[in-house]
Amino acid sequence: MADNVGIVGVGMYFPEQTVTAKDISEWTKGNWTEEAIKEKLGIHRKFIANEKEGTQEMGALAAIDCIENTGVDPKDIDAIICFGEEWKEYPLTTSACYIQDRIGATNAWAVDVQNRCCSTISAMKMAKDMLIADEDINMVLVAGGYRNGDYIDYTDNNVSFMYDLSAGGGAILLKKNYNKNLLLGTHLISDGSLVHTAGVEYGGTKNPINEDNLDEAYHSLRLLDAKKMKDRLNEVSFPNWFKCIDKACEKSGYTREDIDFVDILHIKRSGHNQMLEALGKTSDQTVYLEDYGHMGQIDAILSLKLGLEEGKIKDGDVVCMIAAGIGYVWAANIVKWG
C-alpha cells in the first residue's frame, strides 16, 4: 500500500489589536468610504500586530497552539518548514529555527521557504514530498507568521487591493501514513515576468534605506509597475487559478464538481463570488474572511480551521485550497477530509 500524508491538526495566533473598516477609511483620507471598504474590498475587521508580535514569534505561538490542539510531542517532529514572511524581528535569521527552539522540537531540522501568499500550499507540497521520499521523516510542521500590512500606505490607491493585509500566525502538522485528512494532489504555476511589478521598494540592495527616504521606506509596499501587473493579471490570473484547480483535482482523482469546500484566501468580494460561481459552489461551501482580513499565506490554514468549526467541512468532504501571491504564483491542492 502506498504511503499517504494526512493533516494531524492546525494552530492559529491572532494579535490582540484589531481595526475596522471605519479606521481604514480614515487612513485613506477620504479616498474610500467605510461602506466601500466593507462591501467592495470585503473588510469588516482585521488584525494589527504590536511591537512584541513579530513574524517569528507569531509563527511560534501558532505552532504551540497546534501542538496543544493535537497533543503531539514536539520531539516527535522531524522537520519544520517555516513560511513566515521576510518582514520579521531580525533580517537574515532563520524563522524555522526560532520556531524549533520555542516549541522544543529538538530532534527536528528546520528550513525557511517563501512563495508569498502561496507559501502554505507550496510548503505543504514540499512537506508531503519529503514525507513520502525520506524514510527518516514521519512528521513535518509547517508554520509561520505574517504582518506585511505594516508596509501599506493607505493613501496609495494603487494598493487598495492590499488594504486588507492583516497579521497573525498559522501552523499545520502533517504526518506520514496518518490515514485520514489526506493531502492529495497539488499544482502550482508561476510567472516570473511579474516578479518586480509589486514589492517593497526600499530596503534592499537596489534602493537602500537612507536619510532621504527613511519616512517613506517603511510604507513602500507598492506596485512597482502597475500597468504591466494589472494588464497581465487581467489576462492570466483566473485561467491560471482554474488550471491549478483542475490539475490538482486530476492528480487526486476528482473533478471540480467533487469539491465540497472552497478554502480560498481573502480577496475582494466580487472576486470571491466570481470564483464560487465559476466553480458552481455556494457561500455555504466556503468561508469569507471579512472579519479577519488577509493574513497572506495563513489564510489557507485559517479557512480550514473556520470551515471545520462552522461545520462546513465534514468527514468525507473534498477540500480545495486555493491561493495566489505576488511574484506571481498561483496554487491549489486537494485534501480529502476525514
Side-chain angles (χ1 to χ4, degrees), residues 99-121:
I99 293 170
Q100 177 194 20
D101 183 60
R102 285 283 276 113
I103 68 175
T106 53
N107 295 320
W109 59 271
V111 63
D112 288 359
V113 302
Q114 189 43 244
N115 214 4
R116 301 285 79 80
C117 299
C118 277
S119 300
T120 293
I121 295 178

Side-chain angles (χ1 to χ4, degrees), residues 187-234:
H187 195 76
L188 298 101
I189 296 172
S190 61
D191 184 344
S193 71
L194 293 166
V195 65
H196 285 163
T197 58
V200 176
E201 186 167 1
Y202 298 103
T205 58
K206 185 75 172 177
N207 294 309
I209 295 175
N210 57 46
E211 61 182 13
D212 295 327
N213 62 36
L214 182 60
D215 291 340
E216 182 183 1
Y218 287 100
H219 294 93
S220 64
L221 175 50
R222 56 181 54 149
L223 299 192
L224 306 174
D225 189 337
K227 185 178 188 306
K228 180 178 180 180
M229 178 173 158
K230 291 177 179 178
D231 287 349
R232 182 65 176 157
L233 289 184
N234 285 337

Side-chain angles (χ1 to χ4, degrees), residues 30-152:
N31 286 333
W32 284 78
T33 65
E34 177 184 357
E35 192 64 23
I37 288 169
K38 285 182 177 180
E39 295 307 316
K40 187 171 182 180
L41 299 184
I43 314 165
H44 289 180
R45 180 189 73 160
K46 68 174 188 171
F47 292 86
I48 301 292
N50 64 34
E51 67 279 0
K52 295 181 180 179
E53 294 169 320
T55 306
Q56 294 175 334
E57 177 65 4
M58 289 192 292
L61 291 169
I64 291 170
D65 184 55
C66 183
I67 288 167
E68 291 175 349
N69 292 338
T70 59
V72 165
D73 185 342
K75 292 182 174 59
D76 290 336
I77 296 171
D78 300 296
I80 298 170
I81 302 177
C82 179
F83 56 66
E85 274 295 344
E86 295 172 278
W87 176 231
K88 54 192 175 185
E89 286 87 332
Y90 296 98
L92 303 185
T93 59
T94 305
S95 299
C97 291
Y98 180 90
I99 293 170
Q100 177 194 20
D101 183 60
R102 285 283 276 113
I103 68 175
T106 53
N107 295 320
W109 59 271
V111 63
D112 288 359
V113 302
Q114 189 43 244
N115 214 4
R116 301 285 79 80
C117 299
C118 277
S119 300
T120 293
I121 295 178
S122 302
M124 288 175 68
K125 173 175 170 50
M126 292 176 183
K128 179 186 175 183
D129 292 347
M130 288 161 46
L131 285 159
I132 296 297
D134 192 332
E135 63 182 16
D136 293 329
I137 299 178
N138 291 295
M139 192 155 17
V140 178
L141 175 69
V142 174
Y146 186 94
R147 54 178 296 170
N148 286 359
D150 294 357
Y151 273 104
I152 293 298

Side-chain angles (χ1 to χ4, degrees), residues 215-285:
D215 291 340
E216 182 183 1
Y218 287 100
H219 294 93
S220 64
L221 175 50
R222 56 181 54 149
L223 299 192
L224 306 174
D225 189 337
K227 185 178 188 306
K228 180 178 180 180
M229 178 173 158
K230 291 177 179 178
D231 287 349
R232 182 65 176 157
L233 289 184
N234 285 337
E235 178 185 351
V236 303
S237 192
F238 265 78
N240 282 351
W241 242 343
F242 289 120
K243 182 175 181 180
C244 287
I245 294 167
D246 290 338
K247 292 294 289 185
C249 285
E250 180 184 332
K251 293 175 183 180
S252 307
Y254 294 112
T255 67
R256 289 187 200 179
E257 287 71 29
D258 297 311
I259 296 171
D260 298 298
F261 184 82
V262 180
D263 176 326
I264 183 172
L265 77 177
H266 185 273
I267 55 177
K268 65 181 181 179
R269 199 178 299 275
S270 62
H272 179 89
N273 292 337
Q274 182 182 351
M275 176 65 75
L276 289 183
E277 183 178 357
L279 292 173
K281 310 304 174 186
T282 70
S283 59
D284 291 332
Q285 295 174 281

